[in-house]
Amino acid sequence: MSKDLIQIGTIEERYSQTVHSWNSRLLGYQVSMHHQGLNEHKLLSAPEFYLLESKMSLQVQKWNERWSKEVNLNDATTRTEEAQKNLEEVENILTHSLAIDNTIQWHKLKDKRKFKEKNPIDYLEGTLGNLSQPIKRELLLFPIKPEKKSSEYKVELTFLDKLFSSRSQKKEKLIDEKYKNVVRNWETQCKEIELKNSEIKKDLQSENIKYENQRKHYTNENNKLVENWEKRKVKFYKQQEEDNSRVDRLNEAYHNKSEEAIIEYCERVLRNSEYPSSFPQKFELEYNSTNKILIIEYELPSVECLPKIKEVKFIVNRKKIKETYLSQTYLSKMFDEIIYEITLRTIHELFEADKANVIDAISFNGWVNAVNKATGKVANNCIASIQVKKEEFLEIDLRNVEPKFCFKNLKGVSSSKLSSLIPIQPILQISRIDKRIVDSYNVIDELDNTTNIAIMDWEDFEHLIRELFEKEFQSNGGEVNVTQASRDGGVDAIAFDPDPIRGGKIIIQAKRYTNTVGVAAVRDLYGTVVNEGATKGILVSTADYGPDAYQFAKEKPLTLLNGSNLLHLLEKHGYHAKIDIKEAKKILSEKDKSN
């Protein structure tokens, strides 16, 4: 079946990765889906969990419908229609958005679903009804005790019996014996019946106990299910209430012109914009409230993201499907047009949705992450940049413009042929300066074999770690900075690794400890990595880590470096020091006493 061919990954939370990373927030959810038979991969995302579930169901339905069709003429026709539809979708990227109101409808962001899971109590009656009830059995009746007065035991005397008393006595004796035997038999029967009745009562009692125990067991189990169901229901509505309250808070903050809320509002506008699933639709925003300029760093689709099939034919005599592809020249031309359309469409959507009138101008930088055909290496180049004022842009009728001419008329910057991916200098870029970063100073050159790092001043220790990792990353142009001292377990240093594959923002925490580092510190680091939107976290300590700490870090983007690792890294870069925990404990203890 088609559903067996569909692989669905784990639903992940997406956080903003803005430069002001301490304000990182939940952007939404995403999940990866793959159909083995169709060899198609989809990365679905949505701002709310229930919207993502709806998208997933719709995608599964689409795949099932396609997979159920046989490879024949009808299938070829259907695939041709689908190819044409994909082309039209791409070619109408700009006009599609013009027919839509891009303003955020706050009431539509709220989750109004009911908790649909059925209460397990509804199943209890049926479960108990299916139990085998004890079969009621009647007790055996006791026989009637024989009476001596019965005619059967009456002595009938003849004339001679009356004459001779011995004869009469003999007859009476025989009758007495007969009666006694009958009574004995009766007593034996009564004892047997009593024994059997006792067994019947015992079996019935056992069956009743078993039945009641089963009822009690299933009732208790059902009570647990109901209790868990109630918890899930409460959690569902609590989460729903929190999500809806967050929408209300965002609405209020946006209209109060909070910078953070404005950015999140604009992010939602762009996330609501529907593009082909192959398009990356990744972006980074920065808003300057002083000049009311919104800066957008937007990842544009590469040529590989465009549809390539023009037509599908079914060759009857060969019983084979033949696909006709678009020419490379046509794809290059289509790519150029689409880049200009996406640029204008993005600016249009944000200006149209700006109901709080907080944006006077937008600076858009379009980046393409693709393989450079000349070098064979992946490069991330800015190929289009434009800055336009709102009042000027709103005068344009986008329904009738030629996108490239419109872009150039607005003083946009790009190469003559965008598909060549020639990089240009952006007009205005997002600032990469983190306001928490402080001036650094040199510590590492003062180290020697006698320096016990475990008793180093904690602030000096942070700058030592900064210098060490700066040397580690400097070979590929990395940058490491120390943040403002907070001593709260937050960020101690931030590294920016420019490597396009393994690089990104790295959070470094330095712990000058003399005791084993517990799992709590590692949990804090992971939480910081998530909140900062970083790609990795590194925890450096002069001491070692407990087993729980290593277990928690397993399969997470975390690296734990203990004292031994730290010394080894120092030696790698030509520096020598020591870590003597016993000496450090003694000296620090004496300091505490003196204080």
Side-chain angles (χ1 to χ4, degrees):
M1 293 178 65
S2 179
K3 67 178 182 179
D4 298 325
L5 299 171
I6 298 174
Q7 297 176 338
I8 301 177
T10 304
I11 296 178
E12 300 175 345
E13 295 179 342
R14 296 172 56 237
Y15 289 85
S16 63
Q17 298 186 22
T18 62
V19 65
H20 303 299
S21 50
W22 61 92
N23 288 332
S24 296
R25 58 193 164 272
L26 181 67
L27 293 179
Y29 304 85
Q30 67 180 20
V31 66
S32 176
M33 300 177 66
H34 181 255
H35 194 295
Q36 291 178 319
L38 297 172
N39 195 26
E40 278 193 14
H41 177 268
K42 298 288 185 183
L43 182 64
L44 304 180
S45 63
E48 305 298 341
F49 189 91
Y50 70 95
L51 292 177
L52 181 59
E53 287 184 316
S54 178
K55 280 189 175 183
M56 290 166 62
S57 298
L58 184 60
Q59 185 60 55
V60 170
Q61 181 181 343
K62 287 182 179 178
W63 275 341
N64 286 340
E65 289 174 356
R66 283 182 56 191
W67 188 248
S68 63
K69 297 176 182 177
E70 297 179 1
V71 182
N72 52 28
L73 182 59
N74 291 332
D75 186 35
T77 303
T78 301
R79 290 183 61 189
T80 297
E81 292 173 354
E82 184 177 349
Q84 293 297 325
K85 183 179 178 181
N86 291 338
L87 280 172
E88 289 176 8
E89 182 182 15
V90 171
E91 291 171 348
N92 296 326
I93 277 179
L94 179 57
T95 55
H96 170 78
S97 180
L98 298 180
I100 299 171
D101 182 0
N102 296 284
T103 307
I104 293 296
Q105 303 296 323
W106 297 102
H107 66 281
K108 291 184 179 180
L109 293 180
K110 293 189 175 183
D111 185 0
K112 299 180 178 65
R113 294 175 301 160
K114 299 294 183 183
F115 187 68
K116 294 182 179 179
E117 187 180 337
K118 197 170 182 180
N119 192 334
I121 193 69
D122 297 338
Y123 303 112
L124 179 60
E125 185 177 347
T127 302
L128 297 181
N130 290 329
L131 294 178
S132 299
Q133 296 191 38
I135 300 174
K136 189 174 181 180
R137 286 169 287 177
E138 299 293 336
L139 297 177
L140 300 176
L141 297 176
F142 288 95
I144 299 173
K145 185 177 182 181
E147 295 184 2
K148 199 171 183 181
K149 294 179 181 180
S150 172
S151 59
E152 187 180 351
Y153 306 108
K154 186 176 180 182
V155 181
E156 295 182 357
L157 300 177
T158 63
F159 176 74
L160 292 175
D161 294 334
K162 295 178 180 178
L163 290 176
F164 302 101
S165 60
S166 59
R167 286 172 63 93
S168 64
Q169 289 176 356
K170 186 177 180 181
K171 278 189 175 184
E172 288 176 358
K173 187 175 181 181
L174 289 173
I175 290 298
D176 285 340
E177 286 299 323
K178 180 182 177 181
Y179 174 72
K180 287 178 181 178
N181 286 334
V182 170
V183 169
R184 279 195 291 270
N185 289 336
W186 173 81
E187 290 175 344
T188 301
Q189 286 180 338
C190 287
K191 287 180 181 179
E192 291 175 352
I193 290 173
E194 186 176 0
L195 183 61
K196 288 180 180 179
N197 282 343
S198 177
E199 291 176 355
I200 291 172
K201 290 178 181 179
K202 186 177 179 181
D203 291 342
L204 186 60
Q205 184 180 20
S206 177
E207 289 178 11
N208 281 326
I209 292 173
K210 181 180 178 181
Y211 174 73
E212 291 301 325
N213 286 340
Q214 285 181 325
R215 282 184 61 90
K216 185 177 180 181
H217 168 74
Y218 286 114
T219 301
N220 289 339
E221 290 297 312
N222 188 265
N223 289 338
K224 292 178 184 177
L225 293 174
V226 171
E227 183 179 352
N228 291 330
W229 176 85
E230 290 284 357
K231 290 179 180 178
R232 290 193 297 274
K233 182 180 177 181
V234 169
K235 183 178 179 181
F236 174 86
Y237 284 114
K238 182 179 179 182
Q239 185 63 51
Q240 187 180 73
E241 183 180 359
E242 290 176 358
D243 293 342
N244 292 340
S245 296
R246 189 169 69 245
V247 171
D248 289 333
R249 290 195 300 272
L250 176 60
N251 184 6
E252 182 180 0
Y254 169 70
H255 285 95
N256 288 333
K257 300 183 180 181
S258 159
E259 286 190 22
E260 186 177 353
I262 291 169
I263 291 176
E264 185 170 351
Y265 177 85
C266 293
E267 286 172 347
R268 285 181 176 266
V269 171
L270 297 185
R271 285 201 306 273
N272 286 344
S273 186
E274 296 181 355
Y275 281 92
S277 59
S278 58
F279 285 25
Q281 230 181 328
K282 295 179 181 178
F283 47 83
E284 186 177 349
L285 305 180
E286 183 178 88
Y287 176 72
N288 188 321
S289 59
T290 303
N291 54 27
K292 299 175 77 173
I293 293 179
L294 180 71
I295 305 174
I296 310 168
E297 305 287 355
Y298 198 98
E299 183 176 341
L300 298 165
S302 63
V303 176
E304 286 69 27
C305 296
L306 303 182
K308 297 175 177 62
I309 297 177
K310 180 180 180 181
E311 186 180 20
V312 180
K313 292 183 178 180
F314 181 67
I315 304 174
V316 179
N317 57 345
R318 294 185 182 181
K319 294 184 179 179
K320 183 179 179 182
I321 288 287
K322 181 182 178 182
E323 297 174 338
T324 304
Y325 295 91
L326 297 168
S327 68
Q328 192 61 45
T329 302
Y330 185 87
L331 285 173
S332 297
K333 181 182 178 183
M334 182 168 61
F335 175 78
D336 283 21
E337 292 176 354
I338 286 169
I339 296 306
Y340 291 123
E341 289 190 4
I342 291 175
T343 302
L344 296 177
R345 168 174 164 167
T346 303
I347 296 171
H348 159 74
E349 289 172 340
L350 289 168
F351 277 147
E352 183 181 60
D354 181 31
K355 298 305 179 183
N357 293 317
V358 293
I359 304 174
D360 282 351
I362 290 178
S363 186
F364 177 97
N365 299 319
W367 299 76
V368 175
N369 191 30
V371 175
N372 186 317
K373 297 294 176 67
T375 64
K377 294 183 178 180
V378 176
N380 191 28
N381 294 330
C382 179
I383 65 169
S385 183
I386 186 173
Q387 183 170 310
V388 59
K389 292 183 178 179
K390 185 177 184 179
E391 58 183 0
E392 179 183 9
F393 191 85
L394 293 182
E395 291 296 321
I396 299 172
D397 186 354
L398 292 175
R399 292 170 297 180
N400 300 316
V401 302
E402 202 289 313
K404 180 178 179 179
F405 292 157
C406 181
F407 178 86
K408 294 295 185 180
N409 187 58
L410 291 170
K411 311 302 180 187
V413 180
S414 68
S415 62
S416 59
K417 189 177 180 182
L418 293 175
S419 57
S420 63
L421 302 182
I422 296 174
I424 55 98
Q425 180 62 40
I427 296 172
L428 179 65
Q429 283 187 272
I430 289 178
S431 171
R432 300 294 172 182
I433 299 174
D434 191 320
K435 294 179 181 178
R436 295 171 295 175
I437 292 173
V438 298
D439 293 335
S440 59
Y441 55 85
N442 187 285
V443 176
I444 200 167
D445 289 333
E446 299 177 5
L447 297 180
D448 59 36
N449 291 325
T450 64
T451 305
N452 186 359
I453 300 176
I455 57 174
M456 181 180 285
D457 177 79
W458 64 269
E459 195 169 355
D460 289 345
F461 181 66
E462 289 179 359
H463 284 273
L464 169 65
I465 299 304
R466 189 268 310 163
E467 288 183 273
L468 182 58
F469 278 95
E470 191 172 67
K471 295 180 181 298
E472 185 70 15
F473 287 124
Q474 68 182 0
S475 60
N476 64 341
E479 180 185 355
V480 183
N481 293 285
V482 175
T483 58
Q484 292 175 355
S486 60
R487 306 190 74 177
D488 62 352
V491 180
D492 294 328
I494 300 174
F496 294 97
D497 186 351
D499 188 280
I501 298 175
R502 62 174 173 79
K505 183 179 180 181
I506 301 171
I507 301 302
I508 303 172
Q509 288 185 353
K511 304 293 183 186
R512 190 217 61 189
Y513 281 3
T514 54
N515 294 320
T516 300
V517 182
V519 69
V522 186
R523 282 201 186 99
D524 290 343
L525 172 62
Y526 184 60
T528 303
V529 168
V530 173
N531 291 332
E532 293 277 336
T535 56
K536 186 176 183 180
I538 301 174
L539 186 59
V540 187
S541 174
T542 48
D544 207 340
Y545 300 89
D548 290 346
Y550 283 113
Q551 182 64 32
F552 181 82
K554 212 172 181 182
E555 299 180 357
K556 292 183 178 67
L558 303 177
T559 297
L560 306 183
L561 299 180
N562 59 18
S564 176
N565 301 138
L566 176 56
L567 293 177
H568 176 75
L569 198 57
L570 284 167
E571 290 174 3
K572 174 183 173 181
H573 294 284
Y575 298 94
H576 299 278
K578 70 175 183 176
I579 294 178
D580 189 331
I581 299 297
K582 288 185 179 179
E583 180 187 56
K585 284 185 175 180
K586 183 178 179 182
I587 294 174
L588 294 173
S589 176
E590 290 174 354
K591 280 185 178 181
D592 290 339
K593 288 179 181 177
S594 63
N595 292 334

